[in-house]
Amino acid sequence: MHVADSVPPATAIAALPPLQNCHLAKSFMATLELLCESLLAEGRCHSSFRLWLTSYPSPEFPISVLENSIKMTNEPPKGLRAGLLRTYASDPFCSADFLEGCVNDAPFRRLLLGLAFFHSVLQERRKYGPIGFNIPYEFNENDLRISCRQLRMFLDEYPDIPYDTLAYTAGECNYGGKVTDGHDRHTLMTLLSTYYNPALVSTAGYSLAGTPANGYAAPEHTNHKGYLEYISSLPLSAAPAVLGLHDNADIAKDLQESQLLLDSLLLTQSSSSTPAPAAPEPTAAAAAVVEAQEGGPAGTAA
């Protein structure tokens, strides 16, 4: 049954039908707008009926639907520490069976932390514009989720850790599959080599920042609660060096964020608003008074 045929019957009952990833169905957006205008009006549907829509930002999404709906946004966390906390609070990182059931338990936990750190670093570098990546790629939780499941699979099946295979599947396939610029791909693989390497597994106090940086030493073997405590102890704002950038990179990021804020404020202004009236032209009498006060020709004539 087509979605356009399934929604009308559901309006008669207290149903909660979800339409996910609307941004992928551009040709359906006009039909969706018509359905909302014709069916989702007071007296035409059940009082408890709710239509749930999910979508990425898209110019094709009907403006009228946005204006007449309750909107909830799921924004990426701001900051490296917040990103790591969100990662370890989501599936599968929060699952005790996933975290504690690996055959190579200790290496798995350290490499998993490195993978989570790598994902957060990529997300933060996007905020630096062309300094972070030449092209802003949409890395998401699916890339991280498939990479961590592959990590668990390879460490369960192989007695020796296949670092080259791990780096290829995560860097070239999962994350690298979205990268189209050669320099960006080289940057991504270089960053990944900081976390997928034998030193992270064998070196006590290995720095996840890539350089000796206080507060970013990988913790010893611990449980899920211990990782949350470790992440909470990280600096609230990560220095650019932690992301592999120069300290002056913050200037470009701050300028970009300020410009985005100002552009967003300008978008809130109505395009139909009338400009403020211009000041009236001074009359001849008013000009004479001003000249008299300034000792000009009018004052001389008096």
Side-chain angles (χ1 to χ4, degrees):
M1 180 182 293
H2 192 270
V3 65
D5 300 325
S6 61
V7 171
T11 59
I13 59 177
L16 302 173
L19 301 182
Q20 302 184 32
N21 298 323
C22 292
H23 60 282
L24 300 179
K26 298 179 181 180
S27 60
F28 178 69
M29 292 299 97
T31 305
L32 174 64
E33 184 175 16
L34 181 61
L35 286 174
C36 293
E37 291 178 353
S38 60
L39 299 176
L40 304 185
E42 187 175 359
R44 298 182 183 177
C45 63
H46 195 280
S47 59
S48 298
F49 174 82
R50 299 292 185 272
L51 179 63
W52 288 81
L53 307 172
T54 67
S55 175
Y56 278 108
S58 173
E60 283 78 16
F61 198 90
I63 300 298
S64 62
V65 178
L66 286 175
E67 292 176 343
N68 296 289
S69 62
I70 299 175
K71 295 167 283 292
M72 294 182 291
T73 59
N74 185 17
E75 297 288 343
K78 184 177 179 61
L80 184 65
R81 188 177 75 174
L84 286 170
L85 283 174
R86 179 178 178 177
T87 296
Y88 268 83
S90 61
D91 182 72
F93 287 79
C94 61
S95 172
D97 293 336
F98 180 79
L99 185 62
E100 300 173 1
C102 183
V103 175
N104 291 323
D105 186 46
F108 171 71
R109 298 194 189 200
R110 291 180 73 89
L111 290 172
L112 187 66
L113 175 63
L115 180 61
F117 206 92
F118 167 72
H119 178 78
S120 295
V121 166
L122 294 185
Q123 297 286 40
E124 288 300 303
R125 285 181 68 99
R126 290 182 67 250
K127 302 175 182 178
Y128 287 81
I131 299 178
F133 288 106
N134 292 330
I135 301 173
Y137 303 101
E138 294 293 337
F139 301 120
N140 54 45
E141 299 299 322
N142 292 330
D143 303 320
L144 174 62
R145 191 174 294 112
I146 185 61
S147 296
C148 68
R149 293 191 184 280
Q150 288 174 342
L151 173 64
R152 169 68 184 271
M153 179 186 68
F154 284 125
L155 265 64
D156 280 339
E157 295 181 357
Y158 291 89
D160 297 327
I161 302 175
Y163 290 102
D164 292 339
T165 303
L166 291 172
Y168 183 83
T169 54
E172 296 287 351
C173 299
N174 302 333
Y175 288 92
K178 300 179 178 180
V179 178
T180 56
D181 183 85
H183 296 289
D184 289 341
R185 183 180 296 274
H186 180 74
T187 299
L188 186 146
M189 295 303 296
T190 301
L191 290 171
L192 184 59
S193 66
T194 304
Y195 313 106
Y196 270 2
N197 66 69
L200 173 60
V201 175
S202 59
T203 305
Y206 181 85
S207 176
L208 293 171
T211 57
N214 295 329
Y216 290 96
E220 298 301 322
H221 187 84
T222 183
N223 54 18
H224 182 262
K225 181 180 179 181
Y227 284 115
L228 291 178
E229 293 174 351
Y230 163 75
I231 295 170
S232 299
S233 68
L234 296 177
L236 179 61
S237 179
V242 178
L243 311 177
L245 300 171
H246 191 270
D247 290 341
N248 290 339
D250 266 344
I251 299 175
K253 185 197 72 169
D254 293 341
L255 288 174
Q256 182 176 343
E257 290 182 348
S258 301
Q259 187 63 45
L260 178 61
L261 174 62
L262 295 176
D263 292 342
S264 300
L265 289 175
L266 291 176
L267 288 175
T268 61
Q269 295 183 347
S270 175
S271 58
S272 60
S273 59
T274 56
E281 293 292 334
T283 61
V289 171
V290 173
E291 291 178 351
Q293 290 176 346
E294 295 178 352
T300 304

